[in-house]
């Protein structure tokens, strides 16, 4: 056990200060199927901007996402730091002030930690939105990559399915390949491609 493990209770691939363009989504794989009362707590505590879609599949897999107008939901949910303003970009889209986006990112991490206490999380994943500037990946993400060998058996079981679990598995592998972590995981992993996150 390392000194980081208490700070990072489960892998969160894509942890950090994320930027967003039009929408956001977070995937969660639980270690077991939550009970109905645990599901109720998990859903009731989803950060408000990500309540546009709450979709369970395979019993243990959860995807939460915003609607198309994420920044409007962020503006309604979180106050801006004094002196900061929201803006309308050249593309005509509203962009929430940076402090509001930071509040959403902090809210996602707090939510994940909270629901982990309800039902243990095996791993969480948030893709980088390159149109929104990507993610300034944090030590939590870096630590998560070191846990990937332990998570590989679960990922491999998810890859031949369809739906949110497969999106998460391919996305995690894409992040690992970009970080140079896949070659040591074998030919199977090295040949994977993520359709949602670019070349894996």
């Amino acid at each position: 056990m390392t000194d980081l493990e208490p700070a990072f209770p489960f892998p969160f691939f894509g942890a950090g200060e994320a930027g967003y363009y039009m929408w956001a989504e977070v995937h969660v794989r639980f270690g077991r199927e939550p009970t109905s009362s645990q599901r109720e707590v998990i859903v009731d505590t989803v950060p408000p901007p990500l309540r546009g879609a709450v979709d369970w599949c395979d019993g243990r897999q959860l995807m939460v996402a915003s609607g198309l107008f994420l920044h409007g939901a962020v503006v309604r949910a979180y106050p801006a730091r004094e002196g900061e303003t929201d803006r309308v970009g050249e593309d005509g889209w509203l962009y929430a002030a940076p402090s509001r986006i930071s509040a959403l990112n902090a809210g996602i991490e707090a939510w994940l930690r909270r629901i982990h206490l309800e039902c243990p999380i095996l791993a969480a994943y948030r893709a980088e939105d390159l149109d929104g500037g990507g993610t300034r990946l944090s030590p939590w993400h870096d630590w998560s990559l070191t846990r990937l060998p332990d998570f590989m058996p679960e990922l491999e079981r998810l890859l031949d399915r369809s739906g949110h679990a497969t999106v998460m598995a391919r996305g995690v592998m894409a992040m690992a390949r970009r970080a140079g972590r896949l070659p040591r995981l074998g030919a199977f992993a090295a040949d994977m491609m993520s359709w949602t996150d670019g070349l894996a």
Side-chain angles (χ1 to χ4, degrees), residues 3-182:
D3 293 339
L4 292 177
E5 289 191 38
F8 307 136
F10 53 86
F12 179 16
F13 300 95
E17 278 300 310
Y20 307 96
Y21 181 40
M22 291 189 282
W23 60 279
E25 72 180 37
V26 176
H27 297 260
V28 183
R29 182 80 176 168
F30 292 94
R32 59 170 173 77
E33 185 170 348
T35 66
S36 58
S37 61
Q38 288 170 334
R39 281 192 182 210
E40 186 174 339
V41 172
I42 290 164
V43 170
D44 286 349
T45 56
V46 172
L50 299 185
R51 293 179 184 171
V54 177
D55 192 9
W56 292 92
C57 65
D58 189 31
R60 299 167 49 201
Q61 188 77 26
L62 172 66
M63 185 277 298
V64 296
S66 68
L68 187 58
F69 304 105
L70 168 69
H71 286 265
V74 170
V75 167
R76 291 188 294 276
Y78 305 108
R81 185 180 300 126
E82 187 174 348
E84 279 192 353
T85 58
D86 308 310
R87 66 182 180 85
V88 175
E90 293 180 4
D91 55 6
W93 287 90
L94 171 68
Y95 291 90
S99 59
R100 296 188 202 263
I101 297 299
S102 291
L104 170 61
N105 289 327
I108 290 169
E109 292 194 2
W111 172 67
L112 289 171
R113 289 176 184 275
R114 178 176 180 179
I115 65 175
H116 179 64
L117 298 176
E118 286 293 323
C119 185
I121 292 175
L122 190 62
Y125 163 71
R126 176 180 56 200
E128 289 191 73
D129 185 342
L130 299 182
D131 291 330
T135 301
R136 193 166 67 248
L137 297 165
S138 71
W140 193 354
H141 169 81
D142 296 337
W143 174 83
S144 299
L145 290 175
T146 71
R147 310 306 301 162
L148 190 55
D150 296 333
F151 192 43
M152 277 301 297
E154 183 77 12
L155 286 179
E156 290 179 357
R157 284 194 293 272
L158 300 176
L159 287 167
D160 62 352
R161 302 180 186 182
S162 61
H164 301 308
T166 299
V167 168
M168 177 177 175
R170 290 179 179 273
V172 168
M173 286 193 173
M175 287 182 159
R177 178 175 284 176
R178 286 197 301 273
R181 297 282 182 154
L182 277 189

Side-chain angles (χ1 to χ4, degrees), residues 167-200:
V167 168
M168 177 177 175
R170 290 179 179 273
V172 168
M173 286 193 173
M175 287 182 159
R177 178 175 284 176
R178 286 197 301 273
R181 297 282 182 154
L182 277 189
R184 72 191 69 179
L185 297 176
F188 173 81
D191 286 341
M192 287 312 304
M193 172 181 282
S194 168
W195 297 104
T196 61
D197 215 21
L199 290 176

